[in-house]
Amino acid sequence: MRILITGCSTGIGRAAATTLAARGHEVVATARRKETLEGLDVASRLALDVDDDASVARAVAEAGPLDGLVNNAGRGEGGPVEKVPIEAAKGMMETNLWGAVRMIQAVVPGMRERGHGVVVNVSSVAGVVAPPLGGFYAATKFALEGLSEALKLEAGHFGVRVAIVEPGYFDTGFRGNSHEHGIDQPPYDELHRLWDGADGKLLGGESRPGPQAVADAIADAVEGKDERLRIPVGQDAEMVTSTRAKLDDATFEATMRQALGLDW
Ligand code: NAP
């Protein structure tokens, strides 16, 4: 299969490029700064900024007909809902939602005409449950999940599969590439202190794993070995999404507060 992946400079995208290439696929690895792709053993390396219409059009034309698209590029702008500057939140939405939309609108028509293809959208456990201080990030991923559900119903008819990969917390460049707002001073500095310790509890005291499990899940979704629409990855994501599916809002919140020791 010929598969284009966005955001391959680091983290999950880079691991997915390596994994799919090792499984024998023609990978078109892309990144905003093409030089970050040097050393990746893939079929093709292209510059691609998903925020930029012209960059998307150029890269998709250069890539040629694709069997798979992995929308992985993403970033974070964290902080309490009342404090994150709207421009920062809009910028994140531009990458995490509209970037994926640009790619889908550029690539899916060809897949539909050829009668086959697969789109894998990298969401997050925050695409199912919104954590405190992550409201806008969750909003980008909730939006991506809604869009993915609709796309599955629309384009599935023409042979285009859709999968949503929902990682928990993995050790990548993500935190370093993300920005935090309004967490160092009252009234939300205490929540930040409490929450910073709480999310690690879902990993049972283990350190955050590297991105290989997410890359494997993406590759399984691309190949159709995993046919689920939603694919949580990591013990934290599996625990949170399965608990969420079983409980009403109030019981879920009480359960999570207790599990995380969140006293706020
Ligand atoms: P990462 O190492 O920071 O990788 C993010 C990638 O996105 C980088 O290659 C970055 O490229 C790229 N990117 C950002 N803006 C872009 C743009 N406008 N155009 C093209 N590429 C762009 O973090 P990661 O953890 O691997 O994140 C990958 C995806 O997984 C994201 O969608 C993230 O939301 C999701 N995710 C991560 C976790 C986690 O715990 N790590 C959990 C759930 C979901 P540059 O080098 O150019 O900035």
Side-chain angles (χ1 to χ4, degrees), residues 6 31-32 48-57 73-75 77 87-88 90-103:
T6 65
R32 287 194 282 198
L48 169 58
D49 180 342
V50 301
D51 291 0
D52 181 335
D53 290 334
S55 174
V56 168
R75 59 198 188 82
E77 298 285 345
E87 282 313 311
K90 279 185 171 177
M92 173 175 55
M93 189 66 92
E94 195 63 44
T95 305
N96 296 8
L97 176 68
W98 297 112
V101 170
R102 276 189 195 89
M103 293 306 301

Side-chain angles (χ1 to χ4, degrees), residues 7 9-10 12 32-33 49-50 72 137 141 168 170 172 177:
S9 67
T10 54
I12 292 168
R32 287 194 282 198
R33 291 161 293 133
D49 180 342
V50 301
N72 164 76
Y137 178 71
K141 297 298 190 181
F170 286 86
T172 65
N177 286 337

Side-chain angles (χ1 to χ4, degrees), residues 21-104:
R23 291 193 190 188
H25 299 289
E26 276 180 40
V27 171
V28 182
T30 70
R32 287 194 282 198
R33 291 161 293 133
K34 196 178 165 188
E35 65 274 17
T36 62
L37 302 173
E38 275 166 26
L40 260 186
D41 187 14
V42 292
S44 178
R45 295 182 285 262
L46 299 176
L48 169 58
D49 180 342
V50 301
D51 291 0
D52 181 335
D53 290 334
S55 174
V56 168
R58 208 164 35 239
V60 170
E62 271 184 63
L66 294 166
D67 308 297
L69 166 65
V70 179
N71 283 311
N72 164 76
R75 59 198 188 82
E77 298 285 345
V81 171
E82 67 167 90
K83 297 286 184 189
V84 177
I86 288 176
E87 282 313 311
K90 279 185 171 177
M92 173 175 55
M93 189 66 92
E94 195 63 44
T95 305
N96 296 8
L97 176 68
W98 297 112
V101 170
R102 276 189 195 89
M103 293 306 301
I104 288 165

Side-chain angles (χ1 to χ4, degrees), residues 27-243:
V27 171
V28 182
T30 70
R32 287 194 282 198
R33 291 161 293 133
K34 196 178 165 188
E35 65 274 17
T36 62
L37 302 173
E38 275 166 26
L40 260 186
D41 187 14
V42 292
S44 178
R45 295 182 285 262
L46 299 176
L48 169 58
D49 180 342
V50 301
D51 291 0
D52 181 335
D53 290 334
S55 174
V56 168
R58 208 164 35 239
V60 170
E62 271 184 63
L66 294 166
D67 308 297
L69 166 65
V70 179
N71 283 311
N72 164 76
R75 59 198 188 82
E77 298 285 345
V81 171
E82 67 167 90
K83 297 286 184 189
V84 177
I86 288 176
E87 282 313 311
K90 279 185 171 177
M92 173 175 55
M93 189 66 92
E94 195 63 44
T95 305
N96 296 8
L97 176 68
W98 297 112
V101 170
R102 276 189 195 89
M103 293 306 301
I104 288 165
Q105 293 194 344
V107 171
V108 167
M111 291 179 170
R112 174 173 48 71
E113 282 159 19
R114 290 187 296 277
H116 78 274
V118 55
V119 177
V120 177
N121 290 329
V122 180
S123 174
S124 167
V125 65
V128 182
V129 173
L133 309 178
F136 290 102
Y137 178 71
T140 70
K141 297 298 190 181
F142 270 60
L144 184 62
E145 298 232 355
L147 186 99
S148 305
E149 279 190 16
L151 182 67
K152 178 182 189 293
L153 296 170
E154 294 164 3
H157 177 73
F158 300 107
V160 180
R161 290 186 287 117
V162 176
I164 307 167
V165 170
E166 298 166 337
Y169 286 105
F170 286 86
D171 188 15
T172 65
F174 193 74
R175 277 205 156 178
N177 286 337
S178 300
H179 305 106
E180 304 283 351
H181 308 267
I183 54 169
D184 290 334
Q185 59 283 105
Y188 293 109
D189 53 339
E190 191 195 343
L191 174 59
H192 176 236
R193 192 176 50 71
L194 291 169
W195 183 248
D196 216 28
D199 55 358
K201 290 187 184 156
L202 289 174
L203 295 171
E206 302 284 317
S207 56
R208 290 163 182 243
Q212 189 56 47
V214 189
D216 291 338
I218 290 170
D220 287 350
V222 165
E223 292 176 338
K225 286 181 182 151
D226 191 334
E227 295 183 335
R228 288 175 293 171
L229 171 62
R230 287 189 166 81
I231 303 171
V233 190
Q235 66 178 54
D236 49 354
E238 282 171 26
M239 188 279 252
V240 172
T241 58
S242 63
T243 307

